Coordinates of all heavy atoms in Angstrom, one line a residue:
M1 N 22.2 -11.7 -2.5 CA 20.8 -11.2 -2.3 C 19.9 -12.4 -2.1 O 19.9 -13.4 -2.8 CB 20.4 -10.4 -3.5 CG 19.1 -9.9 -3.4 SD 18.8 -8.8 -4.9 CE 17.1 -8.7 -4.8
A2 N 19.2 -12.4 -1.0 CA 18.3 -13.5 -0.7 C 17.0 -13.5 -1.5 O 16.6 -12.4 -2.0 CB 17.9 -13.4 0.8
M3 N 16.5 -14.7 -1.8 CA 15.3 -14.7 -2.6 C 14.1 -14.3 -1.7 O 14.0 -14.6 -0.5 CB 15.0 -16.2 -3.0 CG 15.9 -16.6 -4.1 SD 15.5 -18.3 -4.7 CE 13.8 -18.3 -4.8
P4 N 13.2 -13.5 -2.3 CA 12.0 -13.1 -1.5 C 11.1 -14.3 -1.2 O 10.9 -15.2 -2.0 CB 11.3 -12.1 -2.4 CG 11.8 -12.4 -3.8 CD 13.2 -13.0 -3.6
R5 N 10.5 -14.3 0.0 CA 9.6 -15.3 0.3 C 8.2 -15.1 -0.2 O 7.8 -13.9 -0.2 CB 9.6 -15.5 1.8 CG 10.9 -15.9 2.4 CD 10.8 -16.1 3.9 NE 12.1 -16.5 4.3 CZ 12.3 -17.3 5.4 NH1 11.3 -17.6 6.1 NH2 13.5 -17.7 5.8
P6 N 7.5 -16.1 -0.6 CA 6.2 -15.9 -1.1 C 5.2 -15.4 0.0 O 5.4 -15.8 1.2 CB 5.7 -17.2 -1.6 CG 6.7 -18.2 -1.2 CD 7.9 -17.5 -0.7
T7 N 4.3 -14.6 -0.3 CA 3.3 -14.1 0.7 C 2.2 -15.1 0.9 O 2.1 -16.1 0.1 CB 2.7 -12.8 0.2 OG1 2.0 -13.0 -1.0 CG2 3.8 -11.7 0.0
V8 N 1.4 -14.9 1.8 CA 0.2 -15.8 2.1 C -0.7 -15.7 0.9 O -1.3 -16.8 0.5 CB -0.5 -15.3 3.4 CG1 -1.7 -16.1 3.6 CG2 0.5 -15.5 4.6
A9 N -0.9 -14.6 0.3 CA -1.8 -14.4 -0.8 C -1.3 -15.3 -2.0 O -2.1 -15.9 -2.7 CB -2.0 -13.0 -1.2
Q10 N 0.0 -15.3 -2.2 CA 0.5 -16.1 -3.3 C 0.3 -17.6 -3.0 O 0.0 -18.3 -4.0 CB 2.0 -15.8 -3.5 CG 2.3 -14.4 -4.0 CD 3.7 -14.0 -4.1 OE1 4.5 -14.4 -3.1 NE2 4.1 -13.3 -5.1
F11 N 0.5 -18.0 -1.8 CA 0.2 -19.4 -1.5 C -1.2 -19.8 -1.7 O -1.5 -20.8 -2.3 CB 0.6 -19.7 0.0 CG 2.0 -20.1 0.2 CD1 2.8 -19.4 1.1 CD2 2.6 -21.1 -0.4 CE1 4.1 -19.7 1.4 CE2 3.9 -21.5 -0.2 CZ 4.7 -20.7 0.7
V12 N -2.1 -18.9 -1.3 CA -3.5 -19.2 -1.4 C -4.0 -19.2 -2.8 O -4.7 -20.2 -3.3 CB -4.4 -18.2 -0.5 CG1 -5.8 -18.3 -0.8 CG2 -4.1 -18.4 0.9
Y13 N -3.7 -18.2 -3.6 CA -4.1 -18.1 -5.0 C -3.5 -19.3 -5.8 O -4.1 -19.9 -6.6 CB -3.7 -16.8 -5.6 CG -4.6 -15.6 -5.2 CD1 -4.1 -14.5 -4.7 CD2 -6.0 -15.8 -5.3 CE1 -4.9 -13.4 -4.3 CE2 -6.8 -14.7 -4.9 CZ -6.3 -13.6 -4.4 OH -7.1 -12.5 -4.1
G14 N -2.2 -19.5 -5.6 CA -1.6 -20.6 -6.3 C -2.2 -22.0 -6.0 O -2.4 -22.8 -6.9
S15 N -2.4 -22.2 -4.7 CA -3.1 -23.5 -4.3 C -4.5 -23.7 -4.8 O -4.8 -24.7 -5.3 CB -3.1 -23.6 -2.8 OG -1.8 -23.6 -2.2
C16 N -5.2 -22.6 -4.8 CA -6.6 -22.7 -5.3 C -6.6 -22.9 -6.8 O -7.4 -23.6 -7.4 CB -7.4 -21.4 -5.0 SG -7.8 -21.2 -3.3
A17 N -5.6 -22.2 -7.5 CA -5.5 -22.4 -8.9 C -5.2 -23.9 -9.3 O -5.7 -24.4 -10.2 CB -4.5 -21.5 -9.5
V18 N -4.3 -24.5 -8.5 CA -3.9 -25.9 -8.8 C -5.1 -26.8 -8.6 O -5.4 -27.6 -9.4 CB -2.7 -26.3 -7.9 CG1 -2.5 -27.8 -7.9 CG2 -1.4 -25.6 -8.3
I19 N -5.8 -26.6 -7.5 CA -6.9 -27.5 -7.1 C -8.0 -27.4 -8.1 O -8.5 -28.4 -8.7 CB -7.4 -27.3 -5.7 CG1 -6.3 -27.7 -4.7 CG2 -8.6 -28.0 -5.4 CD1 -6.5 -27.2 -3.3
L20 N -8.4 -26.2 -8.4 CA -9.6 -25.9 -9.3 C -9.3 -26.3 -10.7 O -10.1 -26.9 -11.4 CB -10.0 -24.5 -9.2 CG -10.6 -24.1 -7.8 CD1 -11.0 -22.6 -7.8 CD2 -11.9 -24.9 -7.5
S21 N -8.1 -26.0 -11.2 CA -7.7 -26.3 -12.5 C -7.5 -27.8 -12.7 O -7.9 -28.4 -13.8 CB -6.5 -25.6 -13.0 OG -5.4 -26.0 -12.2
T22 N -7.1 -28.5 -11.7 CA -7.0 -30.0 -11.8 C -8.4 -30.6 -11.9 O -8.6 -31.5 -12.8 CB -6.3 -30.5 -10.5 OG1 -5.0 -30.0 -10.4 CG2 -6.1 -32.1 -10.6
F23 N -9.3 -30.2 -11.1 CA -10.7 -30.7 -11.2 C -11.3 -30.4 -12.5 O -11.9 -31.3 -13.2 CB -11.5 -30.2 -10.0 CG -11.3 -30.8 -8.7 CD1 -11.3 -30.1 -7.6 CD2 -11.1 -32.2 -8.6 CE1 -11.0 -30.6 -6.3 CE2 -10.9 -32.8 -7.3 CZ -10.9 -32.0 -6.2
A24 N -11.1 -29.2 -13.0 CA -11.7 -28.8 -14.2 C -11.1 -29.5 -15.4 O -11.8 -30.0 -16.3 CB -11.6 -27.3 -14.4
L25 N -9.8 -29.7 -15.4 CA -9.1 -30.4 -16.5 C -9.5 -31.9 -16.5 O -9.7 -32.5 -17.6 CB -7.6 -30.2 -16.5 CG -7.1 -28.8 -16.8 CD1 -5.6 -28.7 -16.5 CD2 -7.4 -28.5 -18.3
L26 N -9.6 -32.5 -15.3 CA -9.9 -33.9 -15.3 C -11.4 -34.1 -15.7 O -11.7 -35.1 -16.4 CB -9.7 -34.4 -13.8 CG -8.3 -34.7 -13.5 CD1 -8.2 -35.1 -12.0 CD2 -7.6 -35.7 -14.3
L27 N -12.3 -33.2 -15.3 CA -13.7 -33.3 -15.7 C -13.9 -33.1 -17.2 O -14.6 -33.8 -17.9 CB -14.6 -32.4 -14.9 CG -14.8 -32.8 -13.4 CD1 -15.5 -31.7 -12.7 CD2 -15.5 -34.1 -13.3
L28 N -13.2 -32.1 -17.7 CA -13.3 -31.7 -19.1 C -12.6 -32.7 -20.1 O -13.1 -33.0 -21.2 CB -12.8 -30.3 -19.4 CG -13.7 -29.2 -18.8 CD1 -13.0 -27.9 -19.0 CD2 -15.1 -29.2 -19.3
S29 N -11.5 -33.2 -19.7 CA -10.7 -34.1 -20.6 C -11.3 -35.5 -20.5 O -11.2 -36.3 -21.5 CB -9.2 -34.1 -20.2 OG -9.1 -34.7 -18.9
G30 N -11.8 -36.0 -19.4 CA -12.4 -37.3 -19.3 C -11.3 -38.4 -19.3 O -11.6 -39.5 -19.7
T31 N -10.1 -38.0 -19.1 CA -9.0 -39.0 -19.1 C -9.0 -40.0 -18.0 O -9.5 -39.6 -16.9 CB -7.6 -38.3 -19.2 OG1 -6.6 -39.3 -19.4 CG2 -7.3 -37.6 -17.9
R32 N -8.6 -41.2 -18.2 CA -8.6 -42.2 -17.2 C -7.2 -42.9 -17.1 O -7.0 -43.7 -16.2 CB -9.7 -43.2 -17.4 CG -11.1 -42.6 -17.3 CD -12.1 -43.7 -17.4 NE -13.5 -43.1 -17.5 CZ -14.2 -42.7 -16.4 NH1 -13.7 -42.9 -15.2 NH2 -15.4 -42.2 -16.6
S33 N -6.4 -42.6 -18.0 CA -5.0 -43.3 -18.0 C -4.1 -42.5 -17.0 O -4.3 -41.3 -16.7 CB -4.5 -43.3 -19.4 OG -4.2 -42.0 -19.8
G34 N -3.1 -43.2 -16.6 CA -2.1 -42.6 -15.7 C -1.3 -41.5 -16.4 O -1.0 -40.5 -15.7
A35 N -1.0 -41.6 -17.6 CA -0.3 -40.6 -18.4 C -1.1 -39.4 -18.5 O -0.6 -38.2 -18.4 CB 0.2 -41.1 -19.7
G36 N -2.4 -39.5 -18.8 CA -3.3 -38.4 -18.9 C -3.4 -37.6 -17.6 O -3.4 -36.4 -17.6
V37 N -3.6 -38.3 -16.5 CA -3.7 -37.7 -15.2 C -2.4 -37.0 -14.9 O -2.4 -35.8 -14.3 CB -4.0 -38.7 -14.1 CG1 -4.0 -38.1 -12.7 CG2 -5.4 -39.3 -14.4
A38 N -1.2 -37.6 -15.2 CA 0.1 -36.9 -15.0 C 0.2 -35.6 -15.8 O 0.7 -34.6 -15.3 CB 1.2 -37.9 -15.3
V39 N -0.3 -35.6 -17.0 CA -0.2 -34.4 -17.9 C -1.1 -33.4 -17.3 O -0.7 -32.2 -17.2 CB -0.6 -34.8 -19.3 CG1 -0.8 -33.5 -20.1 CG2 0.5 -35.6 -20.0
V40 N -2.3 -33.7 -16.8 CA -3.2 -32.8 -16.2 C -2.6 -32.2 -15.0 O -2.7 -31.0 -14.7 CB -4.6 -33.5 -15.9 CG1 -5.4 -32.6 -15.0 CG2 -5.3 -33.7 -17.2
A41 N -2.0 -33.0 -14.2 CA -1.3 -32.6 -12.9 C -0.2 -31.6 -13.2 O -0.1 -30.6 -12.5 CB -0.8 -33.7 -12.1
V42 N 0.6 -31.9 -14.2 CA 1.7 -31.0 -14.6 C 1.2 -29.6 -15.1 O 1.7 -28.6 -14.7 CB 2.7 -31.6 -15.6 CG1 3.6 -30.6 -16.2 CG2 3.4 -32.8 -15.0
V43 N 0.1 -29.7 -15.9 CA -0.5 -28.5 -16.4 C -1.1 -27.6 -15.3 O -0.9 -26.4 -15.2 CB -1.5 -28.8 -17.5 CG1 -2.3 -27.5 -17.9 CG2 -0.8 -29.3 -18.7
A44 N -1.7 -28.3 -14.3 CA -2.3 -27.6 -13.2 C -1.3 -27.0 -12.3 O -1.4 -25.9 -11.8 CB -3.2 -28.6 -12.4
L45 N -0.2 -27.7 -12.1 CA 0.9 -27.1 -11.3 C 1.5 -25.9 -12.0 O 1.9 -24.9 -11.3 CB 2.0 -28.2 -11.0 CG 1.6 -29.2 -9.9 CD1 2.7 -30.3 -9.9 CD2 1.4 -28.6 -8.6
A46 N 1.7 -26.0 -13.3 CA 2.3 -24.9 -14.0 C 1.3 -23.7 -13.9 O 1.8 -22.5 -13.8 CB 2.5 -25.3 -15.5
L47 N 0.0 -23.9 -14.1 CA -0.9 -22.8 -14.0 C -1.0 -22.2 -12.6 O -1.0 -21.0 -12.4 CB -2.3 -23.3 -14.3 CG -3.5 -22.3 -14.3 CD1 -3.2 -21.2 -15.4 CD2 -4.8 -23.0 -14.6
G48 N -0.9 -23.1 -11.6 CA -0.8 -22.6 -10.2 C 0.4 -21.7 -9.9 O 0.4 -20.7 -9.3
L49 N 1.6 -22.2 -10.5 CA 2.8 -21.4 -10.3 C 2.7 -20.1 -11.0 O 3.1 -19.0 -10.5 CB 4.0 -22.2 -10.9 CG 5.3 -21.5 -10.8 CD1 5.7 -21.3 -9.3 CD2 6.4 -22.4 -11.5
L50 N 2.1 -20.1 -12.2 CA 1.9 -18.8 -13.0 C 1.0 -17.8 -12.2 O 1.3 -16.7 -12.1 CB 1.3 -19.1 -14.3 CG 1.0 -17.9 -15.2 CD1 2.3 -17.3 -15.7 CD2 0.2 -18.3 -16.4
V51 N -0.1 -18.4 -11.6 CA -1.0 -17.5 -10.9 C -0.3 -16.9 -9.6 O -0.4 -15.8 -9.3 CB -2.2 -18.3 -10.5 CG1 -3.0 -17.5 -9.4 CG2 -3.1 -18.5 -11.7
A52 N 0.5 -17.8 -8.9 CA 1.2 -17.3 -7.7 C 2.3 -16.3 -8.0 O 2.4 -15.3 -7.3 CB 1.8 -18.5 -7.0
V53 N 2.9 -16.4 -9.2 CA 3.9 -15.4 -9.5 C 3.3 -14.1 -9.9 O 3.9 -13.0 -9.7 CB 4.8 -16.0 -10.6 CG1 5.7 -14.9 -11.2 CG2 5.7 -17.2 -10.1
R54 N 2.1 -14.2 -10.5 CA 1.5 -12.9 -11.0 C 0.8 -12.1 -9.9 O 0.5 -11.0 -10.1 CB 0.5 -13.3 -12.1 CG 1.1 -13.9 -13.4 CD 2.0 -13.0 -14.1 NE 1.3 -11.9 -14.6 CZ 1.9 -10.8 -15.1 NH1 3.2 -10.7 -15.1 NH2 1.1 -9.9 -15.6
V55 N 0.6 -12.7 -8.8 CA 0.0 -12.0 -7.6 C 1.0 -11.0 -7.2 O 2.2 -11.3 -6.9 CB -0.4 -13.0 -6.5 CG1 -0.8 -12.2 -5.3 CG2 -1.5 -13.9 -6.9
P56 N 0.6 -9.7 -7.0 CA 1.6 -8.7 -6.6 C 2.1 -9.0 -5.2 O 1.4 -9.3 -4.3 CB 0.8 -7.4 -6.7 CG -0.6 -7.8 -6.7 CD -0.7 -9.2 -7.3
G57 N 3.4 -8.8 -5.1 CA 4.0 -9.0 -3.8 C 4.0 -7.8 -2.9 O 3.3 -6.8 -3.3
P58 N 4.6 -7.8 -1.8 CA 4.6 -6.6 -0.9 C 5.3 -5.5 -1.6 O 6.3 -5.7 -2.3 CB 5.2 -7.0 0.4 CG 6.0 -8.2 0.0 CD 5.3 -8.9 -1.2
A59 N 4.9 -4.2 -1.4 CA 5.5 -3.1 -1.9 C 6.9 -2.9 -1.3 O 7.1 -3.1 -0.1 CB 4.6 -1.8 -1.7
A60 N 7.8 -2.4 -2.1 CA 9.2 -2.2 -1.6 C 9.1 -1.0 -0.6 O 8.5 0.0 -0.9 CB 10.1 -1.9 -2.7
R61 N 9.8 -1.2 0.5 CA 9.8 -0.1 1.5 C 10.9 0.9 1.2 O 12.0 0.5 0.9 CB 10.0 -0.7 2.9 CG 8.9 -1.6 3.3 CD 9.2 -2.1 4.7 NE 8.1 -3.0 5.1 CZ 8.1 -3.7 6.2 NH1 9.1 -3.6 7.0 NH2 7.0 -4.5 6.5
R62 N 10.5 2.1 1.2 CA 11.4 3.2 1.0 C 12.1 3.6 2.3 O 11.4 3.7 3.3 CB 10.8 4.4 0.3 CG 10.2 4.0 -1.0 CD 9.5 5.3 -1.6 NE 8.9 4.9 -2.9 CZ 7.9 5.6 -3.5 NH1 7.5 6.6 -2.9 NH2 7.4 5.1 -4.6
P63 N 13.4 3.9 2.3 CA 13.9 4.4 3.6 C 13.4 5.7 3.9 O 13.1 6.6 3.1 CB 15.4 4.4 3.2 CG 15.5 4.5 1.8 CD 14.3 3.8 1.2
A64 N 13.3 6.0 5.2 CA 12.8 7.2 5.7 C 13.8 8.3 5.4 O 15.0 8.1 5.4 CB 12.6 7.2 7.2
P65 N 13.3 9.5 5.1 CA 14.3 10.6 4.8 C 15.1 11.0 6.0 O 14.6 10.9 7.1 CB 13.4 11.8 4.4 CG 12.0 11.5 4.9 CD 12.0 10.0 5.0
A66 N 16.3 11.3 5.8 CA 17.2 11.6 6.9 C 16.8 12.9 7.5 O 16.6 13.9 6.8 CB 18.7 11.7 6.4
R67 N 16.8 13.0 8.8 CA 16.5 14.3 9.5 C 17.7 14.8 10.2 O 18.5 14.0 10.7 CB 15.4 14.0 10.5 CG 14.1 13.6 9.9 CD 13.0 13.5 10.9 NE 11.7 13.1 10.3 CZ 10.6 13.0 10.9 NH1 10.6 13.2 12.2 NH2 9.5 12.6 10.3
S68 N 17.8 16.1 10.3 CA 19.0 16.6 11.0 C 18.8 16.5 12.5 O 17.7 16.5 13.0 CB 19.2 18.1 10.6 OG 18.0 18.8 11.0
A69 N 19.9 16.4 13.2 CA 19.8 16.2 14.6 C 19.4 17.4 15.4 O 18.7 17.3 16.4 CB 21.2 15.7 15.2
T70 N 19.8 18.6 14.9 CA 19.4 19.8 15.6 C 18.3 20.5 14.8 O 18.4 20.6 13.6 CB 20.6 20.8 15.7 OG1 21.1 21.0 14.4 CG2 21.7 20.1 16.6
P71 N 17.3 21.0 15.5 CA 16.3 21.7 14.7 C 16.8 23.1 14.2 O 17.6 23.7 14.8 CB 15.2 22.0 15.8 CG 15.9 21.9 17.1 CD 17.1 20.9 16.9
L72 N 16.3 23.4 13.0 CA 16.7 24.7 12.4 C 15.9 25.8 13.0 O 14.7 25.7 13.3 CB 16.4 24.6 10.9 CG 17.2 23.5 10.2 CD1 16.8 23.4 8.7 CD2 18.7 23.7 10.3
P73 N 16.5 27.0 13.2 CA 15.8 28.1 13.8 C 14.8 28.6 12.8 O 15.0 28.6 11.6 CB 16.9 29.1 14.0 CG 18.0 28.8 13.1 CD 17.9 27.3 12.9
V74 N 13.7 29.1 13.3 CA 12.6 29.7 12.5 C 12.5 31.2 12.8 O 12.4 31.6 13.9 CB 11.2 29.0 12.8 CG1 10.1 29.6 12.0 CG2 11.3 27.5 12.6
R75 N 12.5 32.0 11.7 CA 12.5 33.4 11.9 C 11.1 33.9 11.4 O 10.7 33.6 10.3 CB 13.6 34.1 11.1 CG 14.9 33.8 11.6 CD 16.0 34.5 10.9 NE 17.3 34.1 11.4 CZ 18.4 34.8 11.2 NH1 18.3 36.0 10.5 NH2 19.5 34.4 11.6
A76 N 10.4 34.6 12.3 CA 9.1 35.1 11.9 C 9.2 36.6 11.8 O 9.8 37.3 12.7 CB 8.1 34.7 12.9
T77 N 8.7 37.2 10.7 CA 8.7 38.6 10.5 C 7.3 39.1 10.6 O 6.5 38.7 9.8 CB 9.4 39.0 9.2 OG1 10.6 38.4 9.1 CG2 9.5 40.5 9.0
V78 N 7.0 40.1 11.5 CA 5.7 40.6 11.6 C 5.9 42.1 11.3 O 6.6 42.8 12.0 CB 5.2 40.4 13.1 CG1 3.8 41.1 13.2 CG2 5.1 39.0 13.4
P79 N 5.1 42.6 10.4 CA 5.2 44.0 10.0 C 4.6 44.9 11.1 O 3.6 44.5 11.8 CB 4.4 44.2 8.7 CG 3.4 43.0 8.8 CD 4.1 41.9 9.5
S80 N 5.2 46.1 11.4 CA 4.7 46.9 12.4 C 3.4 47.7 11.8 O 3.4 48.0 10.6 CB 5.7 47.9 12.8 OG 6.1 48.7 11.7
P81 N 2.4 47.9 12.6 CA 1.2 48.5 12.1 C 1.5 50.0 11.8 O 2.2 50.7 12.5 CB 0.2 48.4 13.2 CG 1.0 48.2 14.5 CD 2.3 47.5 14.0
S82 N 0.8 50.5 10.8 CA 0.9 51.9 10.4 C -0.1 52.7 11.3 O -0.9 52.1 12.0 CB 0.6 52.1 8.9 OG -0.7 51.8 8.7
R83 N 0.0 54.0 11.2 CA -0.8 54.8 12.1 C -2.3 54.7 11.7 O -3.2 54.8 12.6 CB -0.4 56.3 11.9 CG 0.9 56.6 12.6 CD 1.2 58.0 12.6 NE 2.5 58.2 13.2 CZ 3.0 59.4 13.6 NH1 2.3 60.5 13.4 NH2 4.2 59.5 14.1
E84 N -2.6 54.4 10.5 CA -4.1 54.2 10.1 C -4.6 52.9 10.7 O -5.8 52.8 11.0 CB -4.2 54.2 8.6 CG -4.0 55.5 7.9 CD -2.5 55.6 7.4 OE1 -1.9 54.6 7.2 OE2 -2.1 56.8 7.2
Q85 N -3.8 52.0 10.9 CA -4.2 50.7 11.4 C -4.4 50.7 12.9 O -5.1 49.8 13.4 CB -3.2 49.6 10.9 CG -3.2 49.3 9.4 CD -2.2 48.3 9.0 OE1 -1.3 48.0 9.8 NE2 -2.3 47.8 7.9
V86 N -3.7 51.6 13.6 CA -3.8 51.6 15.0 C -5.1 52.3 15.4 O -5.4 53.4 15.0 CB -2.6 52.3 15.6 CG1 -2.8 52.4 17.1 CG2 -1.3 51.7 15.3
R87 N -6.0 51.6 16.1 CA -7.2 52.2 16.5 C -7.4 52.1 18.0 O -6.7 51.3 18.7 CB -8.4 51.5 15.8 CG -8.4 51.6 14.4 CD -9.5 50.9 13.7 NE -9.5 51.0 12.3 CZ -10.2 50.3 11.5 NH1 -11.1 49.4 12.0 NH2 -10.1 50.4 10.2
E88 N -8.3 52.8 18.5 CA -8.6 52.7 20.0 C -9.2 51.3 20.3 O -10.0 50.8 19.5 CB -9.5 53.8 20.4 CG -8.8 55.2 20.3 CD -9.8 56.3 20.8 OE1 -10.6 56.0 21.7 OE2 -9.7 57.4 20.4
P89 N -8.9 50.8 21.4 CA -9.5 49.5 21.8 C -11.0 49.7 21.9 O -11.6 50.7 22.3 CB -8.9 49.1 23.1 CG -8.3 50.4 23.6 CD -8.0 51.3 22.5
V90 N -11.7 48.6 21.6 CA -13.2 48.6 21.7 C -13.6 48.5 23.2 O -13.1 47.6 23.9 CB -13.8 47.4 20.9 CG1 -15.3 47.4 21.1 CG2 -13.4 47.6 19.4
R91 N -14.5 49.3 23.7 CA -14.9 49.2 25.0 C -16.2 48.4 25.1 O -17.1 48.6 24.3 CB -15.2 50.6 25.6 CG -13.9 51.4 25.6 CD -14.2 52.8 26.2 NE -12.9 53.6 26.1 CZ -12.9 54.9 26.2 NH1 -14.0 55.6 26.3 NH2 -11.8 55.5 26.0
E92 N -16.3 47.5 26.0 CA -17.4 46.7 26.2 C -18.5 47.4 27.0 O -18.2 48.1 28.0 CB -17.1 45.4 26.8 CG -16.2 44.5 25.9 CD -15.8 43.2 26.6 OE1 -16.6 42.8 27.5 OE2 -14.9 42.6 26.2
R93 N -19.7 47.3 26.6 CA -20.8 47.8 27.4 C -21.3 46.8 28.4 O -21.4 45.6 28.1 CB -22.0 48.3 26.5 CG -21.6 49.5 25.7 CD -22.8 50.1 25.1 NE -22.9 49.8 23.7 CZ -23.9 50.1 22.9 NH1 -25.0 50.6 23.5 NH2 -23.9 49.9 21.6
A94 N -21.8 47.3 29.5 CA -22.3 46.4 30.5 C -23.7 46.0 30.0 O -24.5 46.7 29.4 CB -22.4 47.1 31.8
A95 N -24.1 44.8 30.3 CA -25.4 44.3 29.9 C -26.5 45.0 30.8 O -26.3 45.1 32.0 CB -25.5 42.8 30.2
S96 N -27.6 45.4 30.1 CA -28.6 46.1 30.9 C -29.8 45.3 31.0 O -30.2 44.4 30.3 CB -28.9 47.4 30.3 OG -29.0 47.4 28.9

């Protein structure tokens, strides 16, 4: 079974989460050392991965229902009118 490919929405949300969380963490932590920046980068990448995974993927496609090759016959039953229901046809009058 092949791994599903990420969608465009997953790429976009994950990338935005990485960029914005990196800026926010660097501004809030005020770190200037290389180790601190590395920790912030790892945390931001983990957050971006989490956001990208949580974005819903494409819905699974259901196979179309199988149709028979030959159409099935349709039987229509129409009741015959009773004597009370049979009336004389309506005669139209000429416009005067």
Side-chain angles (χ1 to χ4, degrees):
M1 183 172 163
M3 284 182 48
R5 295 183 178 208
T7 62
V8 174
Q10 289 172 324
F11 274 124
V12 170
Y13 284 128
S15 300
C16 288
V18 169
I19 293 168
L20 294 176
S21 63
T22 302
F23 284 137
L25 289 172
L26 285 174
L27 288 174
L28 293 174
S29 68
T31 186
R32 296 187 187 274
S33 67
V37 172
V39 169
V40 166
V42 168
V43 169
L45 285 174
L47 183 62
L49 180 64
L50 178 69
V51 167
V53 169
R54 298 298 293 169
V55 172
R61 295 183 181 173
R62 296 180 185 161
R67 296 184 180 183
S68 63
T70 58
L72 299 175
V74 177
R75 295 183 184 199
T77 307
V78 179
S80 60
S82 63
R83 290 187 182 192
E84 291 95 22
Q85 292 176 343
V86 177
R87 297 181 183 169
E88 293 184 28
V90 177
R91 296 181 186 160
E92 294 182 21
R93 289 195 252 175
S96 41

